[in-house]
Every structure is written in structure tokens, then in C-alpha cells.
Amino acid sequence: MYKYPLFLFIFALILATLNLGFAAQPKTSIKKKHLKIHGVQKTKCTSCDDNSVSKPLIVLDAGHGGNDEGAKVHGLVEKKITLRTTLLIKKALETHGYKVHLTRSKDSFVSLQKRVNIANQIDAILFLSIHYNSSKNNTAKGIEIFYNDSSELWRNKASRRLASCVLNQMVQETGASSRGVKKGNFFVIRETQMPSVLIEVGFMTCPEERAVIKKKEYQEKIAQGIAKGVDRYLKA
Ligand code: ZN
């Protein structure tokens, strides 16, 4: 008599294990599928408890950090201003429904190789590196965005289009002058495997622009412009 309930119990246990196996399957495939198609779809996955699975993942790279201070002009330090701006961009992108990963979130040194590895290993769909510019000519000002064209054709084209979408929206949002989309051979945009750009937000060496770029309100506009540009790029 007692053998029957035991049999039922084992049967139920096998069923439960099988069910778990099946339930886990769609989670992985949905995530992979979304990332493969560049995360443009933002369909919610009803079988997942965490909606972030379906959010496109973007890597933001705050230039410099730690011993590498970047440019230093009249007390303004590039590594600090890139991090502040990057944190605002993260917030703006999250508001637009994207998931953001930072290569650094504090004042620490991260090698260029490590920055690239982070983006490549987590299957990010886009990579944006944030920098501030400097020039011997202190009248030089405005925004310029670099992309690299030494990898496969699709990535070269995608990076150029991303640069152009972001630049247009940044200029619209801030009223800053555009110095255009340019080809650049920077390590982080060359070695990453997804569409990548390096944004030179403004010139620390131009007194007029320096006064503006250090203000939080201006950096907020920069962040909004970049988030809108990314949105335009992904939804086009
Ligand atoms: Zn820099």
C-alpha cells in the first residue's frame, strides 16, 4: 500500500525537474535572440521575472580615470568631467528603456584592453566612449564624434550612422557647434566588436566652452542629446 504514494512522489519529482528544464529554455533563447537582432525589439518577456532581460545593453566608457587624468586645464580635470557626464548619460539612457553598463563608475584606472573586453564579453549592442577635447588653438570649440572604419563593412557603416545620429541630437539639444563625424583609430572604438563611437563633448581649452561644459545643466543637455541620438539610431 505505501509503495503507491512513494511512486507518485517520485513521478511528481521527475515531472517538476522536467518542467524546470523547459521553463529555463525560453529565457536564454529570448535573451540571445534579442541581443542578436541588436536589441531593437523591446518586447517584454512574460515568462521572465526580470524585464531587464529584454532591454538592449549599452556600454558607456568614461574616458581616463585613476593615474590617467586626461587633459587638465585651469583646474578642470578630464577624468572627473567624463565620469560626471557619463553618469548623467546612463540615467538618460535608462529613462529611454536601455540597460547600461559602465567600464568604470568611480575614479579608477581601467586599461583600454579591459574596457574593450568588458564590452565584447557582455554582448553589448553599442559602445560609447566619452571624452573632452583640448587644442593648442584656444578658439577651437564644438562637438566631434569619431568612428573607426577598419573592421567589417556592416560595423563601419553602423558606427558612422550611430555617430551621425548622436551628433545631430547633441547639437540640437545644446546649440553647440558641430565639428562633424570623423574617422579615428582609437583603440577602444577599433577593438570593440559592436558599433562604437568616441564622443569629444567639448573643448576644455576654449575659455568660452570651458565655462559651459563644467555646468551640470549643460551636461544634462549633453546626456539627453546622446540618449535621443542612440534612440534614433536603434529605432530607424
Ligand atoms: Zn580624453
Side-chain angles (χ1 to χ4, degrees):
M1 281 268 291
Y2 70 90
K3 274 185 185 167
Y4 190 61
L6 184 67
F7 169 74
L8 266 181
F9 174 71
I10 292 168
F11 186 62
L13 204 67
I14 291 168
L15 268 183
T17 317
L18 280 175
N19 191 32
L20 267 182
F22 286 132
Q25 203 92 33
K27 272 193 189 176
T28 334
S29 52
I30 283 171
K31 184 181 178 187
K32 285 245 167 81
K33 195 177 161 201
H34 278 222
L35 290 171
K36 275 250 158 64
I37 49 179
H38 290 228
V40 182
Q41 277 81 351
K42 286 200 276 177
T43 336
K44 277 186 183 170
C45 165
T46 45
S47 65
C48 312
D49 22 341
D50 180 6
N51 283 334
S52 64
V53 183
S54 59
K55 287 181 183 174
L57 176 58
I58 295 167
V59 167
L60 289 180
D61 176 50
H64 312 281
N67 298 334
D68 171 15
E69 296 193 305
K72 260 170 104 174
V73 185
H74 291 279
L76 196 61
V77 187
E78 189 183 356
K79 66 168 182 176
K80 290 187 182 169
I81 188 169
T82 56
L83 181 58
R84 278 205 296 272
T85 311
T86 300
L87 292 171
L88 294 172
I89 303 166
K90 177 178 189 284
K91 235 189 242 176
L93 282 170
E94 284 170 348
T95 310
H96 278 79
Y98 300 103
K99 195 175 174 191
V100 176
H101 189 90
L102 304 177
T103 54
R104 71 176 177 102
S105 53
K106 55 182 196 302
D107 183 16
S108 55
F109 176 80
V110 182
S111 71
L112 297 179
Q113 185 66 61
K114 179 93 192 287
R115 294 168 195 253
V116 166
N117 291 350
I118 291 171
N120 289 345
Q121 281 162 10
I122 63 173
D123 262 341
I125 59 157
L126 300 178
F127 178 93
L128 291 88
S129 188
I130 310 303
H131 287 258
Y132 279 84
N133 228 334
S134 40
S135 167
K136 280 181 186 154
N137 169 11
N138 69 5
T139 61
K141 60 176 184 173
I143 306 166
E144 55 192 18
I145 305 190
F146 292 90
Y147 74 99
N148 184 259
D149 71 341
S150 66
S151 62
E152 306 106 280
L153 191 62
W154 77 269
R155 196 177 87 96
N156 301 342
K157 279 185 169 179
S159 299
R160 193 179 59 200
R161 194 170 70 79
L162 173 63
S164 153
C165 287
V166 171
L167 181 59
N168 288 343
Q169 292 302 310
M170 285 176 80
V171 166
Q172 205 167 305
E173 206 69 31
T174 58
S177 51
S178 166
R179 298 173 61 89
V181 165
K182 299 175 175 180
K183 287 181 192 173
N185 194 26
F186 301 106
F187 188 88
V188 289
I189 53 170
R190 189 182 67 228
E191 301 300 324
T192 39
Q193 290 159 357
M194 66 293 305
S196 302
V197 292
L198 186 143
I199 303 170
E200 292 281 5
V201 176
F203 280 78
M204 299 168 65
T205 40
C206 170
E208 183 197 327
E209 199 158 60
R210 186 168 60 246
V212 176
I213 56 178
K214 59 183 174 190
K215 288 185 181 153
K216 194 183 173 190
E217 305 86 76
Y218 187 78
Q219 291 177 25
E220 288 274 11
K221 286 182 185 171
I222 289 291
Q224 285 307 323
I226 293 175
K228 283 183 187 173
V230 164
D231 219 31
R232 282 260 168 129
Y233 167 82
L234 287 173
K235 287 174 179 168

